[in-house]
Amino acid sequence: MARRYFDWAATSLPDAPLLSSALTQSLTLYGNPSSRHAEGRAARDALEHARARCAAVLGVPPETLYFTSSGTEADNIPLLSLLRSPNPSGTLIVSAIEHPAVREPVVELGRRGFSARWLRPGSDGIVSSEALAAEVSAAVAAGRPPKLVAVMAVNNETGAVMDVPSLVRAARDAAGDRARQLRFHCDAVQAVGKIPVNLAAWGVDSAAFSAHKIGGPRGIGLLYSRRPLEPTFRGGGQEKGLRPGTENLFGAIAFAAALETRGTELAVAETREAALRREAAILDGIAATGRAVVIPECRKAGDPRYTPYIVQVAFPGIPAEVLVRTLDDEGVAVSTGSACASATAERPVLEAMGVKRELAFSAIRISQGQSTTDEDVEALLAALRRCLSRL
Ligand SMILES: Cc1ncc(COP(=O)(O)O)c(C=O)c1O
């Protein structure tokens, strides 16, 4: 039975030619980039070249980019850095729809003297600039101006797209003369390849990326930080001491190639129309079952507030895990929420949107990618109809 993969938000299909080419290059660059000999220098040059290629796509200077082991690590470093600041306390304003890679370090900061304020999205799953400005103003008025604001760019469960530049502006305006101490972190892991990413235009202080969401390998992430940060790990001083450990040269080369292939504004634009067509087919097909509730319910095909690549849909009365398993038996891979949180039954993102618990527990995520075909969509919908006839 041909498998149909609709879990791209968990991890994308690997771009095999891109990975093979990166591997071939890195095999000849076996020196340690920290070594002074010719082999080491060649590896260092290749690493810096990869960084410069990533910087060109993301619109920032290369020296503001740090290779990490994952998107999770790239989210953790700027947050946990606060623990090592001269005065490790203060207010954090964090959206309630963040991935565990942001949520969990914020919870940890909360245990260690920081005060976390969770900013709920609207029922549409979108964090509004007005709500953020109100929260920042309230914190300033109470004499505890926020040290950090964290809002993700694209939500991994609903596909909701945030207006990052206006969120950044709203937070800084509301902070007034305390704006300089405010750091804005953006988890952009799901944004690359789905929306154009230009960090300079966004105005964020730090941002996290991950290669395996765009055809690159697992185990390599990228942190953007325009301000100095305190390291979490100590070691050999690699990545300017912020992320010590011998560099993953293969991963860095492959990440640069994946960003150039999938992450540019042009690449996003070129693949968008087909993705929108498939989104419309998915939304039409699930509506035709008569049993689907799209989350959020206001979402329509082609709505620019959501990426077409991620659809969250509930089938009331059917536990999500049962449907995921039944679809799997039919050859279709979908998921419930975030792969990183699938061990728990909690659905904090949906709950923050005000989705009723019963509905949230019957919600699955259908996520497609650049190489998903119309035939894959037809097979998904046929499998879904077969499953629903039995459940
Ligand atoms: C929004 C978001 N942030 C962070 C991550 C973590 O990235 P990684 O798997 O590279 O640790 C993910 C992965 O699912 C994600 O979807």
Side-chain angles (χ1 to χ4, degrees):
M1 186 198 323
R3 296 285 304 174
R4 309 290 176 171
Y5 187 69
F6 283 92
D7 201 13
W8 285 70
T11 195
S12 63
L13 287 191
D15 184 329
L18 180 153
L19 294 178
S20 306
S21 158
L23 184 61
T24 308
Q25 289 174 59
S26 61
L27 287 176
T28 63
L29 296 162
Y30 49 82
N32 185 321
S34 300
S35 300
R36 300 279 158 94
H37 44 61
E39 289 84 351
R41 290 196 308 272
R44 163 68 48 198
D45 288 350
L47 183 73
E48 295 313 324
H49 182 56
R51 196 188 316 275
R53 290 166 67 193
C54 295
V57 174
L58 299 174
V60 288
E63 59 275 17
T64 57
L65 293 181
Y66 304 83
F67 288 109
T68 65
S69 71
S70 60
T72 299
E73 195 179 48
D75 275 324
N76 267 257
I77 290 172
L79 299 174
L80 297 182
S81 169
L82 293 172
L83 284 175
R84 288 163 191 83
S85 59
N87 175 16
S89 63
T91 305
L92 317 171
I93 298 178
V94 182
S95 96
I97 57 168
E98 295 298 305
H99 185 275
V102 169
R103 204 166 56 237
E104 291 303 320
V106 170
V107 169
E108 177 63 13
L109 289 168
R111 282 190 209 107
R112 302 214 191 181
F114 287 85
S115 149
R117 310 268 316 154
W118 298 97
L119 181 63
R120 286 171 71 129
S123 58
D124 54 6
I126 294 168
V127 177
S128 79
S129 302
E130 294 73 26
L132 177 59
E135 195 68 45
V136 174
S137 300
V140 172
R144 33 176 190 76
K147 281 199 169 156
L148 178 124
V149 169
V151 183
M152 72 199 321
V154 172
N155 182 264
N156 50 299
E157 297 198 36
T158 61
V161 177
M162 308 318 133
D163 183 350
V164 177
S166 56
L167 286 162
V168 173
R169 266 195 311 275
R172 294 207 201 288
D173 287 352
D177 54 8
R178 310 306 294 267
R180 273 204 323 153
Q181 76 153 59
L182 183 151
R183 293 177 180 185
F184 196 113
H185 177 72
C186 181
D187 177 337
V189 168
Q190 292 289 349
V192 182
K194 299 187 178 83
I195 61 170
V197 175
N198 184 320
L199 291 172
W202 284 9
V204 297
D205 294 294
S206 57
F209 303 90
S210 180
H212 73 98
K213 307 291 184 185
I214 51 168
R218 295 156 212 200
I220 180 98
L222 196 56
L223 166 65
Y224 160 71
S225 179
R226 67 175 179 185
R227 301 202 205 192
L229 293 171
E230 290 297 320
T232 300
F233 303 114
R234 307 281 164 172
Q238 292 91 344
E239 299 298 289
K240 291 190 272 175
L242 190 57
R243 201 281 169 178
T246 301
E247 300 89 339
N248 175 354
L249 185 55
F250 157 71
I253 295 172
F255 203 163
L259 273 173
E260 286 172 348
T261 311
R262 297 270 180 83
T264 64
E265 196 166 345
L266 184 66
V268 171
E270 277 174 354
T271 47
R272 188 169 163 81
E273 206 173 304
L276 283 166
R277 197 186 58 239
R278 295 192 298 270
E279 178 206 31
I282 292 170
L283 289 174
D284 281 352
I286 56 182
T289 66
R291 295 173 66 178
V293 178
V294 174
I295 296 177
E297 282 190 69
C298 63
R299 177 175 177 173
K300 300 279 176 293
D303 188 333
R305 296 175 303 162
Y306 304 93
T307 170
Y309 291 100
I310 300 177
V311 171
Q312 181 80 214
V313 56
F315 293 89
I318 307 175
E321 282 117 76
V322 173
L323 189 52
V324 167
R325 213 170 337 108
T326 318
L327 278 168
D328 190 28
D329 292 343
E330 291 279 348
V332 175
V334 299
S335 69
T336 62
S338 152
C340 311
S342 60
T344 69
E346 299 298 320
R347 303 297 306 268
V349 172
L350 304 188
E351 280 171 32
M353 291 165 64
V355 174
K356 295 241 158 41
R357 235 178 141 73
E358 311 80 73
L359 198 61
F361 287 149
S362 64
I364 62 168
R365 177 180 69 187
I366 300 171
S367 54
Q368 51 150 333
Q370 285 75 8
S371 62
T372 305
T373 63
D374 294 343
E375 196 199 339
D376 289 331
V377 174
E378 281 166 30
L380 158 77
L381 295 171
L384 187 61
R385 286 190 294 271
R386 284 196 298 277
C387 294
L388 292 178
S389 69
R390 298 203 298 274
L391 293 169

